[in-house]
Amino acid sequence: MSDSPVWHAFTQHGLNEPIGLVTHGEGAALHTADGRRVIDAISSWWVTTHGHRNPRVMAAIRAQTEKLDQLIFAGWTHEPAEEVARGLTAIMPPDLTRVFFSDSGSTCVEVALKMALGYWANRGEPRHRLVVMEHSYHGDTIGAMSVGARGVFNAAYAPLLFDVGRVPFPSDPQATLDALEAECRAGAAAFIVEPLVLGAGGMMMYGPLVLAEMRAICAHHGTLFIADEVMTGWGRTGSLLAGEQAGIVPDLLCLSKGLTGGALPLAVTMASEAIWDAHYSTDRALTFFHSSSYTANPIACAAAAENLAIWREEPVLERVADLAARQERHLATLAGHPAIRDLRRCGTITAMELGGEDAAYLSGLGPALLGYFRDRDVLLRPLGNTVYVMPPYCIGDDDLATVYATIRSAADAVAAGDFSR
Ligand SMILES: *Cc1c(COP(=O)(O)O)cnc(C)c1O
């Protein structure tokens, strides 16, 4: 594949890691051109909720291609977009009354940040400062990077990134709450956070109590609360939204990955009526100035409308609870392994650290594990030495058992020092 002109995402091509050619997928399985069946244990980067090529979603896409492929989304609308917006307002918290479409997790975050600052500017009481949680990830566009963790991933672009306030991850909840309180009292415009699980930051998990308290502090000071549920939404953490477990409703809600069941790119930013009101006027200067060419693409919306129908008509939360229970059972079998630490789970997501706390060679462990899993036809993509499992909800028992057996054998190899040689 080295003669391919494709420049892959998050890939150091100089390392010449093999790049698999997938020809088809079904459920939790990917089939390669060289005849392998690979278990997709991370839902193709966290998007595939109902499994690959879900028949209902595929049929909805096919049907929409017979009607309308693309439409300018200013001055015109189409039934799939209206259906998605109605469907979302029906199942999401009732205070989130407005639906703005975009194309990816990063862009729905950008939209939320712009809406938050627009809210304050349009009300004539400008507030500028954004507050974020350490180790967060909100996407790879400039604004989304600015509100995310800084590090090797974005050091080269630091001159483009704007300054934000940072509160610590709540390993000590009171320290987080105190820092947030100080930022809000100083007049922060908005606080953006991933509820319950910080995904790309290493599947770091925190409890609903501190989430509820963070929400209350923001409400008290008028600081807008932006919930980035791009990863945690659509059942991942055991409930439709992670925020439900804390009984919170944000001012702005970002949704993408599972919005189409993982079939096509689409995102929404849902906003409260107050944020809509701040932009609603006969004054053109108060318009929410944002668009992208493919905003609310009809085919992507048809997939999202079908995803919403699946949520309404099928026992998705039961499947989620069943997967969560199976994940818990498998996770328990790894407890006490000498090369595994910090076993944790939130809903359908499990995570753990491989290797000893003190091992300096670990910097190379992530790529070594990636290759180890790939050679065994299991798609797992560790974040550093954090191994996590986030499968499609339809994954079968045998496949899930294989995933954990492979993790165990990798941990055995780590314990035996096989990766340090
Ligand atoms: C993946 C992710 C994003 C970015 O989504 P893209 O579709 O990759 O742009 C934003 N926020 C969170 C929490 C994510 O996990």
Side-chain angles (χ1 to χ4, degrees):
M1 293 292 291
S2 58
D3 52 356
S4 164
V6 174
W7 189 336
H8 283 270
F10 265 89
T11 298
Q12 177 45 274
H13 284 275
L15 294 174
N16 270 318
E17 285 165 9
I19 293 185
L21 177 59
V22 172
T23 50
H24 61 290
E26 185 158 13
L30 298 169
H31 297 273
T32 66
D34 56 0
R36 292 183 296 135
R37 178 186 183 276
V38 178
I39 303 169
D40 187 352
I42 59 164
S43 299
S44 278
W45 250 344
W46 321 349
V47 301
T48 309
T49 48
H50 312 303
H52 290 280
R53 284 197 310 116
N54 175 276
R56 290 185 61 170
V57 176
M58 295 301 105
I61 290 170
R62 272 194 297 274
Q64 184 57 35
T65 63
E66 300 296 326
K67 295 180 205 160
L68 179 66
D69 55 347
Q70 164 64 7
L71 178 72
I72 177 173
F73 208 62
W76 299 89
T77 193
H78 51 80
E79 194 45 46
E82 297 295 331
E83 201 179 325
V84 172
R86 280 195 306 269
L88 284 170
T89 51
I91 63 166
M92 294 297 165
D95 290 353
L96 298 169
T97 47
R98 303 291 165 172
V99 179
F100 190 95
F101 287 94
S102 60
D103 313 309
S104 71
S106 303
T107 54
C108 70
V109 165
E110 300 279 350
V111 164
L113 300 177
K114 284 174 70 173
M115 281 183 176
L117 262 67
Y119 168 88
W120 291 111
N122 288 1
R123 287 161 55 104
E125 0 167 3
R127 294 193 191 188
H128 305 293
R129 190 168 171 82
L130 296 168
V131 182
V132 310
M133 182 178 281
E134 280 172 2
H135 306 295
S136 295
Y137 177 80
H138 298 290
D140 280 339
T141 53
I142 302 296
M145 274 194 291
S146 296
V147 294
R150 302 291 167 92
V152 65
F153 300 111
N154 47 41
Y157 328 119
L160 299 178
L161 306 185
F162 53 78
D163 199 28
V164 296
R166 290 178 197 275
V167 304
F169 177 82
S171 21
D172 168 9
Q174 199 53 49
T176 304
L177 299 175
D178 291 347
L180 183 60
E181 172 80 34
E183 286 284 0
C184 290
R185 198 179 309 122
F191 173 56
I192 180 167
V193 71
E194 299 163 81
L196 301 189
V197 186
L198 273 53
M203 297 299 154
M204 300 172 76
M205 301 177 185
Y206 64 94
L209 273 177
V210 58
L211 178 58
E213 289 182 62
M214 292 190 299
R215 208 293 166 240
I217 289 171
C218 289
H220 183 74
H221 294 280
T223 299
L224 296 175
F225 189 96
I226 306 173
D228 177 354
E229 296 239 20
V230 168
M231 188 278 277
T232 52
W234 303 106
R236 270 298 161 205
T237 67
S239 41
L240 175 62
L241 296 178
E244 275 173 40
Q245 296 176 42
I248 64 155
V249 177
D251 298 293
L252 288 155
L253 170 66
C254 302
L255 293 172
S256 183
K257 291 186 169 120
L259 173 58
T260 59
L264 285 172
L266 188 71
V268 296
T269 306
M270 295 187 70
S272 68
E273 201 63 10
I275 290 169
W276 163 273
D277 281 343
H279 293 84
Y280 187 87
S281 168
T282 52
D283 182 354
R284 285 210 176 87
L286 303 189
T287 303
F288 182 60
F289 292 109
H290 192 95
S291 170
S292 60
S293 311
Y294 287 101
T295 293
N297 171 266
I299 300 173
C301 284
E306 195 59 29
N307 172 52
L308 281 158
I310 289 171
W311 272 88
R312 281 191 303 268
E313 294 157 18
E314 297 184 19
V316 183
L317 279 177
E318 279 168 39
R319 280 175 211 153
V320 161
D322 178 66
L323 175 57
R326 290 190 287 146
Q327 285 271 67
E328 180 68 35
R329 278 198 297 279
H330 285 292
L331 198 63
T333 66
L334 298 176
H337 191 289
I340 301 180
R341 291 174 291 121
D342 294 344
L343 291 170
R344 54 197 186 272
R345 183 183 66 84
C346 183
T348 69
I349 309 165
T350 61
M352 68 205 81
E353 311 301 306
L354 255 60
E357 230 149 336
D358 49 340
Y361 66 83
L362 278 183
S363 52
L365 184 55
L369 288 170
L370 185 68
Y372 184 93
F373 296 132
R374 186 178 49 226
D375 292 345
R376 285 154 187 80
D377 294 342
V378 174
L379 173 46
L380 282 169
R381 199 182 157 90
L383 296 155
N385 59 337
T386 303
V387 172
Y388 67 91
V389 184
M390 195 193 295
Y393 305 154
C394 63
I395 190 170
D397 285 332
D398 291 353
D399 281 345
L400 199 58
T402 300
V403 170
Y404 280 89
T406 311
I407 293 174
R408 169 178 290 278
S409 69
D412 290 346
V414 170
D418 291 357
F419 289 116
S420 53
R421 293 192 194 112

